[in-house]
Amino acid sequence: MKSVVVVGTGIMGAGIAAGFLARSVPVVILGRSEEKAEACLDKALTLAKKIGVEGDNATKDQADIKKQQVVGILEEYQGWNDCQWVIETVAENLALKQEVFKYLDQVVPANIPIGSNSSGFPISKIAEGLKTANRMMGAHYFMPAEVVPLVEIVMGQKTDIQYAERACELYRSVDKKPVLVKKDIPGFLANRIQHALMREALSLVQEGIATPEDIDDAVRYSFGFRYAAVGPMTQKEISGWDGMANAAKEIYPSLSNITALPPKVAQLMADGKTGMKAGEGFRKWSPEEIAQVSDSYSRRLKAAFDVLNIE
């Protein structure tokens, strides 16, 4: 089986590699040093074991699986003909990503698709001016990459759909859920929907209409609860578009259309209150609360994924 090349040795690189290792797809991890690449592989192997290994690797121990993988320095790697997919996961810096893609444009055979895990930069900018931009696309994962099923395959201005469809087919084969985004728009697909919700939620908090806790409860125990079973489009197919259309006439004109963060959130940022990692956001967080909520979050995620797998 041809390998998947992961360029970058950070958290996302390890999680992405783990997803392929768990389905017995060989990986090549390339970084700025062999030591960093090997450490990333070790992390990926641990994550793969945690989520469960299937296929040929299922009966092998971690040391044997590791022997079959490749780590190295990007500029020194020569085995491009033996790969089926290349995905870049380097730091979220446009100039750096452009530099990496310029190099990949020259060394990766033109028939092999190349993706970028950038969460914000459009692939059209990353691949701008490159000869083989037709086989380049966004491939946006969500953290933790080894667990969350969704991968957004985002077509740039020059992306040939045949390469995007090949990437989708590969991800389906390793039990991911790819969605094809046919236009390179800011936020791609999932983040646009997520930010539309957050804009309204934060506006409601700003106006004193609801507390952050009430917002959480309103989402979790109503439509958020339903969305683990079906998405918003199918849910409205079930309930009927006529009811939604009538409600929209009343609600749409009053929805938030702000184009900047509400003052309350801007003040939180100015005060360094960025959430759990800072010990405080809209509320204070003790180390014990952080551990408890993080553990509960992981267990609930697993339960939600079990729901997704019900036929």
Side-chain angles (χ1 to χ4, degrees):
M1 184 184 296
K2 289 198 170 187
S3 60
V4 167
V5 176
V6 178
V7 179
T9 58
I11 294 173
M12 291 302 292
I16 290 170
F20 287 106
L21 289 170
R23 296 300 176 265
S24 296
V25 177
V27 300
V28 176
I29 299 178
L30 303 176
R32 288 175 291 184
S33 72
E34 195 160 325
E35 292 75 20
K36 286 188 175 182
E38 185 157 1
C40 181
L41 175 58
D42 288 338
K43 177 69 172 176
L45 288 165
T46 300
L47 292 173
K49 183 178 180 181
K50 187 175 181 180
I51 62 176
V53 178
E54 298 178 3
D56 294 341
N57 286 347
T59 58
K60 300 173 184 175
D61 61 33
Q62 195 160 308
D64 286 336
I65 298 174
K66 183 176 180 178
K67 291 176 184 176
Q68 298 174 326
Q69 316 313 315
V70 176
V71 298
I73 298 171
L74 174 60
E75 291 80 7
E76 296 178 359
Y77 183 64
Q78 300 293 322
W80 298 107
N81 285 314
D82 297 323
C83 67
Q84 59 177 315
W85 169 240
V86 179
I87 179 164
E88 166 272 311
T89 71
V90 302
E92 197 71 356
N93 177 294
L94 179 59
L96 176 60
K97 289 181 182 291
Q98 289 174 327
E99 181 183 337
V100 170
F101 265 73
K102 182 178 180 180
Y103 180 76
L104 296 175
D105 181 48
Q106 298 167 359
V107 298
V108 180
N111 65 313
I112 297 172
I114 303 172
S116 171
N117 183 51
S118 175
S119 59
F121 298 122
I123 190 64
S124 298
K125 276 191 178 180
I126 295 173
E128 189 174 10
L130 300 182
K131 289 189 300 183
T132 64
N134 66 307
R135 48 78 176 263
M136 297 174 181
M137 67 203 75
H140 181 226
Y141 279 74
F142 292 78
M143 292 183 69
E146 72 277 8
V147 176
V148 180
L150 187 70
V151 182
E152 296 177 306
I153 300 300
V154 186
M155 295 179 61
Q157 295 173 0
K158 295 186 177 180
T159 308
D160 189 323
I161 194 169
Q162 67 164 314
Y163 291 108
E165 289 175 342
R166 274 174 58 185
C168 288
E169 184 178 344
L170 171 63
Y171 280 113
R172 283 190 286 267
S173 75
V174 293
D175 299 327
K176 288 293 189 182
K177 180 63 80 170
V179 291
L180 182 58
V181 185
K182 297 178 181 177
K183 189 174 181 180
D184 201 3
I185 55 176
F188 315 139
L189 181 59
N191 272 337
R192 288 183 73 89
I193 298 169
Q194 182 174 238
H195 276 269
L197 184 150
M198 284 305 303
R199 177 167 67 176
E200 184 61 31
L202 292 173
S203 294
L204 291 168
V205 173
Q206 178 67 40
E207 297 301 320
I209 295 169
T211 65
E213 293 78 13
D214 287 336
I215 296 289
D216 279 353
D217 285 347
V219 172
R220 287 184 60 212
Y221 294 100
S222 62
F223 61 87
F225 177 74
R226 297 188 307 213
Y227 287 170
V230 295
M233 304 299 286
T234 300
Q235 198 282 320
K236 289 307 174 196
E237 290 285 337
I238 294 170
S239 65
W241 288 103
D242 50 343
M244 178 268 176
N246 289 330
K249 294 175 185 177
E250 186 72 23
I251 297 171
Y252 277 16
S254 68
L255 289 175
S256 173
N257 63 358
I258 57 172
T259 58
L261 286 174
K264 284 187 178 181
V265 182
Q267 189 61 53
L268 285 180
M269 299 300 99
D271 294 341
K273 298 176 181 179
T274 54
M276 284 187 178
K277 62 185 177 182
E280 186 173 0
F282 274 106
R283 52 158 289 188
K284 291 184 177 180
W285 294 94
S286 69
E288 294 76 21
E289 287 175 320
I290 292 172
Q292 188 274 324
V293 171
S294 297
D295 178 66
S296 177
Y297 178 53
S298 295
R299 288 187 285 109
R300 287 170 178 167
L301 274 181
K302 184 181 184 305
F305 293 145
D306 290 341
V307 171
L308 290 175
N309 290 327
I310 295 174
E311 291 297 330

